[in-house]
Amino acid sequence: MENSKLRATPAARDLAKMMGIDLLNVRGSGAKGRIHKEDVEEFNFEKKVRITPLANKIAQEYNIDLSTVEGSGHNGKIMKEDILNIIAKPKETEELARHEKAILAEKEQVEEADIEVIPMSPMRKVIAKRMSDSYFTAPTFTLNYEVDMTELISLRKKVMDTIMENTGKKITVTDLISFAVVKTLMKHKYVNSELSADGTQITLHNYVNLSIAVGMDDGLLVPVIKGADKMSLSELVVASKDIIKKALAMKLSPSEQSGSTFTISNLGMFGTQSFNPIINQPNSAILGVAATVEKPVVVDGEIVIRPIMTMCLTIDHRVVDGLAGAKFMQDLKKLLENPLAMLI
């Protein structure tokens, strides 16, 4: 489109020619977009770069595009400070990047100095796999029961010297709990069972191979006391001490770590109040033994202080229902609170 075809007044055309303004870039305010002189003047005012001589000189030295500069002076006039800020900004950005890089490097050095990366031991790998398989395979729930340990502690004191004389071993509360567990398991076949690998068959054991979880600084072992249901209390004490000693010395044979039908995990000596143990597959349940703590309880209508222990039975719900687990715990609680019955 030629200038002659534009709608513009003669005065607007003359002024545009004098100022070197292309009228195609000017928006007219007259009828049908006709450009008046005032439109050309306003266009020139808007587009003209207003800058101080010093600012202009500095901008030329640094090849700064003035159309990108926003002036801070009157009517948008570009001042010296505006140009200096633009010159300084890249340097500031560069300095900031260097500063951030230095901080990151320092942080990485500190982190490397404060951590230690070690490979998992063969034992830890086996534990990790077995615990993961158990946790993600079996739908479980845990039953918690409080047991008055008054009579069991009393029984331990009564038989301690006799068992020491006969076996040379010191009987512990865990030994008595284990003995009570074995007796109770023989009456609750599903708690002492296992599910086949394909999940289609349940094996009910008419014997008890009892595992006792043994924790060490770098891992966990579960040695098995085979034929625990055939043992007397003294025999169980000896078998328990011997198998735990071998576990701590890392001298267990493969057969002494397999074939369990039930597991006990005792964290009571560490002050644990309650916990949900993970089942030692392919067992259907595991008993967690927590700390014995003196608590106020009601006995015969009176508040008395008694040593109370919490037992935590985790069950594989595919095999054992809540009712079956509760009945097992009721019988075990009854036996622990009346321990003479298990010696008869």
Side-chain angles (χ1 to χ4, degrees), residues 249-270:
M250 300 293 289
K251 293 182 179 180
L252 290 172
S253 66
S255 64
E256 291 173 323
Q257 301 178 69
S258 61
S260 68
T261 63
F262 189 85
T263 303
I264 295 176
S265 178
N266 189 347
L267 294 178
M269 65 284 293
F270 301 106

Side-chain angles (χ1 to χ4, degrees), residues 2-250:
E2 300 292 337
N3 275 1
S4 60
K5 296 181 181 180
L6 285 172
R7 292 178 178 274
T9 65
R13 292 178 184 277
D14 292 341
L15 183 59
K17 183 177 180 180
M18 183 180 66
M19 293 184 173
I21 297 174
D22 187 350
L23 287 176
L24 289 173
N25 297 322
V26 181
R27 177 176 296 180
S29 60
K32 296 183 179 182
R34 188 179 181 85
I35 301 172
H36 292 273
K37 179 181 178 181
E38 293 76 12
D39 298 326
V40 178
E41 291 175 344
E42 184 177 350
F43 177 84
N44 181 62
F45 179 81
E46 291 176 350
K47 299 302 179 181
K48 184 178 180 181
V49 176
R50 294 168 179 80
I51 185 170
T52 65
L54 181 56
N56 188 44
K57 182 179 179 181
I58 298 173
Q60 289 178 2
E61 290 178 2
Y62 286 88
N63 295 319
I64 295 174
D65 183 0
L66 295 177
S67 65
T68 63
V69 182
E70 183 176 351
S72 60
H74 181 65
N75 288 331
K77 192 171 188 176
I78 299 173
M79 312 300 290
K80 175 188 69 175
E81 291 75 13
D82 301 324
I83 302 299
L84 293 177
N85 287 338
I86 292 175
I87 296 171
K89 190 172 183 180
K91 294 183 178 180
E92 292 175 357
T93 303
E94 185 179 345
E95 287 295 328
L96 180 60
R98 283 200 296 267
H99 181 63
E100 291 178 347
K101 186 176 181 180
I103 291 176
L104 181 60
E106 183 179 352
K107 182 179 179 182
E108 289 176 349
Q109 290 177 358
V110 171
E111 289 178 348
E112 290 178 359
D114 289 348
I115 65 172
E116 180 183 4
V117 179
I118 60 172
M120 290 182 73
S121 66
M123 179 191 295
R124 192 77 256 168
K125 289 180 181 178
V126 172
I127 294 170
K129 185 178 186 308
R130 294 187 64 185
M131 292 298 99
S132 295
D133 290 345
S134 178
Y135 186 83
F136 292 111
T137 300
T140 64
F141 65 98
T142 302
L143 300 174
N144 298 302
Y145 279 70
E146 288 191 340
V147 179
D148 187 337
M149 298 292 283
T150 303
E151 295 301 324
L152 192 78
I153 292 172
S154 176
L155 176 63
R156 175 177 176 265
K157 292 178 180 178
K158 291 177 181 178
V159 302
M160 183 180 294
D161 291 341
T162 301
I163 290 181
M164 176 64 78
E165 290 175 4
N166 293 336
T167 66
K169 309 291 184 182
K170 183 178 180 181
I171 187 172
T172 65
V173 170
T174 301
D175 293 326
L176 288 169
I177 293 173
S178 299
F179 196 63
V181 166
V182 171
K183 297 293 184 183
T184 308
L185 283 172
M186 295 305 293
K187 300 177 183 180
H188 296 270
K189 56 185 179 181
Y190 282 97
V191 181
N192 190 44
S193 67
E194 69 178 70
L195 187 66
S196 62
D198 61 6
T200 62
Q201 293 181 324
I202 299 174
T203 300
L204 305 176
H205 302 109
N206 296 318
Y207 57 89
V208 177
N209 288 346
L210 185 67
S211 284
I212 305 293
V214 178
M216 295 173 286
D217 290 339
D218 56 350
L220 176 73
L221 293 175
V222 278
V224 184
I225 302 173
K226 301 287 182 69
D229 58 297
K230 302 293 195 299
M231 296 180 180
S232 65
L233 178 58
S234 294
E235 291 171 336
L236 184 64
V237 170
V238 173
S240 175
K241 297 296 181 293
D242 289 347
I243 200 76
I244 291 175
K245 183 178 180 180
K246 293 181 71 174
L248 293 173
M250 300 293 289

Side-chain angles (χ1 to χ4, degrees), residues 292-315:
T292 298
V293 180
E294 290 193 345
K295 295 182 179 180
V297 295
V298 178
V299 178
D300 297 329
E302 296 183 358
I303 297 177
V304 296
I305 302 299
R306 291 291 180 89
I308 303 297
M309 178 192 73
T310 299
M311 296 187 302
C312 317
L313 182 72
T314 298
I315 301 171

